[in-house]
Amino acid sequence: MPASICDKTLLSVAKFRSKARVPTITWRSPRTSAIISRSAQPLVGITRSRSKDDEDLVKALSECQPDKAATFYVIDARPRANAVGNQAMGKGFEDSSNYAGSETLFMGIGNIHVMRRALGKLQSAIARP
């Protein structure tokens, strides 16, 4: 976590993220210092609620990048339609207009569980003698 983020902020962000999975740096390039961070979807719902603490945390993460002026990409593996549909259940996705310097990109993977099973089958097929 960036040093500028206090425990109180993290607790607030945990309440705003599904299953309390806050944005966290999971990898840093040894060559460029670029980062990858992961989190669960925000609980924005159909009212598109916001969390200043969540926005501050994402900003602090973006400032961990070597090029602070570069776009901070939020990659959502789901199709956009699925993410929008999750709003009806109280969840949703990051609205880039609320996260300075960010852009949300959707990868269009329909069902991650099907993808995971397919990867397992591919790995098994490759590993066969």
Side-chain angles (χ1 to χ4, degrees):
M1 267 314 128
S4 62
I5 302 300
C6 67
D7 290 349
K8 182 180 175 188
T9 299
L10 283 177
L11 290 172
S12 172
V13 173
K15 291 177 183 173
F16 185 68
R17 292 280 172 166
S18 180
K19 299 182 183 177
R21 294 179 183 155
V22 300
T24 306
I25 296 173
T26 57
W27 181 79
R28 179 182 293 274
S29 168
R31 189 173 58 81
T32 66
S33 294
I35 64 167
I36 294 176
S37 59
R38 295 192 63 196
S39 69
Q41 61 188 316
L43 303 175
V44 297
I46 57 173
T47 62
R48 300 294 299 147
S49 62
R50 295 175 63 175
S51 166
K52 180 180 179 332
D53 288 334
D54 190 73
E55 293 166 21
D56 289 346
L57 174 55
V58 172
K59 183 175 190 284
L61 289 172
S62 73
E63 291 171 350
C64 291
Q65 296 281 86
D67 180 358
K68 292 172 184 22
T71 300
F72 188 81
Y73 291 99
V74 176
I75 309 293
D76 194 316
R78 305 169 290 178
R80 182 179 179 88
N82 292 16
V84 170
N86 280 351
Q87 289 177 322
M89 297 182 298
K91 298 178 183 178
F93 60 96
E94 292 83 354
D95 181 342
S96 291
S97 65
N98 298 336
Y99 295 86
S102 77
E103 182 179 341
T104 302
L105 303 173
F106 293 93
M107 296 186 65
I109 298 174
N111 185 314
I112 194 67
H113 306 292
V114 171
M115 293 297 295
R116 190 176 295 124
R117 282 192 297 276
L119 176 60
K121 288 178 182 179
L122 176 62
Q123 289 170 327
S124 294
I126 292 171
R128 287 188 189 137

